[in-house]
Every structure is written in structure tokens, then in C-alpha cells.
Amino acid sequence: FGTKGVQYIDLLLIHFPFLVKPACQFSRAAPECQPPNRPYEPASTEQLQETWKAMEFLKKSGVVKAIGVSDYNITNLEDTLKVATEPIDLHQVEWNPATHDEAMLEFCQKNNIQLQAWSPLGGSKGSVLSEDSIVKAAKAHNISTAQVTLRWSIQRGVAVVVGTGNAEHAKSDLDIFSFNLTDQEVADISAVQERAQSATAAVVV
């Protein structure tokens, strides 16, 4: 930071509601950092609240323009709001047709928190681009399945984060405001999660 360096940070997030164990902060070689152990542990309510207060200080100081969180649950958000004097500008979570938390979306909309999707094209459950409802919508609008999937999030009121080293893909990812999915298409794509859960349950059984 300084007259010749970065003047401010556009957006700063608390990465997740956990603490990295002291022994694992600079090396993951310690036994307590190795599977089946995890290198992190849940942060307490007080720790999360104090971290949020520090984020607010940075925003009020002009070092950061917007502050938010990532991968919080609703309880984490409620606890943060109890001490917040600045808005939670953004909450970043895994959100895509196969994995989306409707209760979280409702909570964020009610509390004026912008929900943002990481892995909007499919995350822990794999790509969703071959899902029938997405392929069908892509053909109907003569666009790519990636554009359909990103547009679905946008129409649900969820911002998206995408990354690619392909210039054509980047251009395509930005071209999602020239069309609208129908209500039925949005509903069919939202139902991908229910079908994925049913398929998982069937495999478990």
C-alpha cells in the first residue's frame, strides 16, 4: 500500500469459519495435520465476531471497499450480524444446479447480503453441463451449456465467480445478459439438485 502501490482492496472475505491449527499454519507435515486428521478446526463464535470487527476496521479505514464471508452457515451469519456495524456485503458459497442451499439464499436476500457462487458450473459433485435440462435450454436459446448454467444463477439473484485461461470461454462467460431463461427452465435446472440427491441415496441403499 502507498502512493506507488495498491491503494485499496476491492473485496476482502473471511475464507471460512475455521482456524488453521497452530502446528499446521506453516507446514502440513505434522501428524495432526495428516489424514484422517484435518489441519483446521471450527472457530468459536467470539473468534469469528472479533475477526469481523477487524474487517470492519479495514473498511472504515479505507483499506478495503467491501467485506464479506465465505462458506458460513446461517448461524455463523446470524452471530456476525449481532455485532456488525457494517453490512456483510457478500457471502461466497458453493452454488450450482447440483448443490444450492435455498434457505441460505432466502436468508441472504432477507438480510441484503449478496450471495455469490464459487464453482457455478459444478463443484464437489462434478460438472452439471451435461444435465438434460441444461442441454435442452442451451439448444432452445442457441447458446452454450455454460452460459445457461451461469444465467440460471444470475436469474436466481446469485452472483458468479468463474475462471478460465481460454479467451473464448471468458468472452462467452460474459455474454449471459442477452437472453433470459423461462420460469420453467429455471425450475427444471433447479431440480437438478433433487435428482442428484435421489441418485446418491439410491447408490447408498
Side-chain angles (χ1 to χ4, degrees):
F1 289 94
T3 56
K4 295 183 179 180
V6 175
Q7 300 302 303
Y8 60 86
I9 297 172
D10 288 310
L11 173 66
L12 187 65
L13 304 179
I14 298 175
H15 183 63
F16 59 6
F18 294 87
L19 297 176
V20 177
K21 295 176 181 177
C24 309
Q25 289 178 355
F26 301 106
S27 173
R28 300 296 170 89
E32 57 264 49
C33 310
Q34 300 295 314
N37 299 312
R38 292 186 174 186
Y40 50 82
E41 56 193 5
S44 68
T45 297
E46 293 74 17
Q47 288 169 326
L48 292 178
Q49 290 175 333
E50 288 303 311
T51 302
W52 181 255
K53 291 176 183 178
M55 300 276 280
E56 290 189 343
F57 173 77
L58 293 175
K59 184 176 181 180
K60 291 174 181 177
S61 299
V63 177
V64 177
K65 296 297 183 182
I67 53 178
V69 299
S70 180
D71 291 332
Y72 272 34
N73 58 36
I74 289 177
T75 299
N76 295 149
L77 292 175
E78 289 174 332
D79 289 339
T80 300
L81 289 171
K82 289 176 183 177
V83 299
T85 60
E86 292 284 335
I88 301 174
D89 294 308
L90 184 138
H91 182 206
Q92 193 178 92
V93 297
E94 180 178 1
W95 175 281
N96 55 67
T99 305
H100 52 278
D101 187 338
E102 297 293 339
M104 178 61 73
L105 177 60
E106 182 180 355
F107 180 89
C108 287
Q109 290 176 333
K110 180 180 178 181
N111 289 278
N112 298 313
I113 301 170
Q114 176 61 59
L115 196 63
Q116 184 181 62
W118 59 259
S119 291
L121 302 181
S124 57
K125 296 179 181 177
S127 172
V128 299
L129 301 185
S130 62
E131 290 288 338
D132 290 344
S133 56
I134 295 173
V135 172
K136 181 179 178 181
K139 291 179 179 178
H141 295 275
N142 193 30
I143 55 177
S144 72
T145 51
Q147 287 173 302
V148 168
T149 306
L150 295 175
R151 182 64 195 178
W152 169 79
S153 288
I154 295 296
Q155 284 189 218
R156 297 297 314 277
V158 180
V160 296
V161 169
V162 293
T164 179
N166 184 303
E168 288 302 314
H169 287 174
K171 182 179 179 181
S172 175
D173 290 344
L174 290 170
D175 185 20
I176 56 173
F177 299 98
S178 59
F179 67 95
N180 284 294
L181 300 174
T182 67
D183 291 344
Q184 187 60 55
E185 287 170 335
V186 170
D188 289 343
I189 295 170
S190 296
V192 168
Q193 175 171 252
E194 183 177 346
R195 292 195 295 274
Q197 290 173 339
S198 297
T200 301
V203 171
V204 171
V205 171

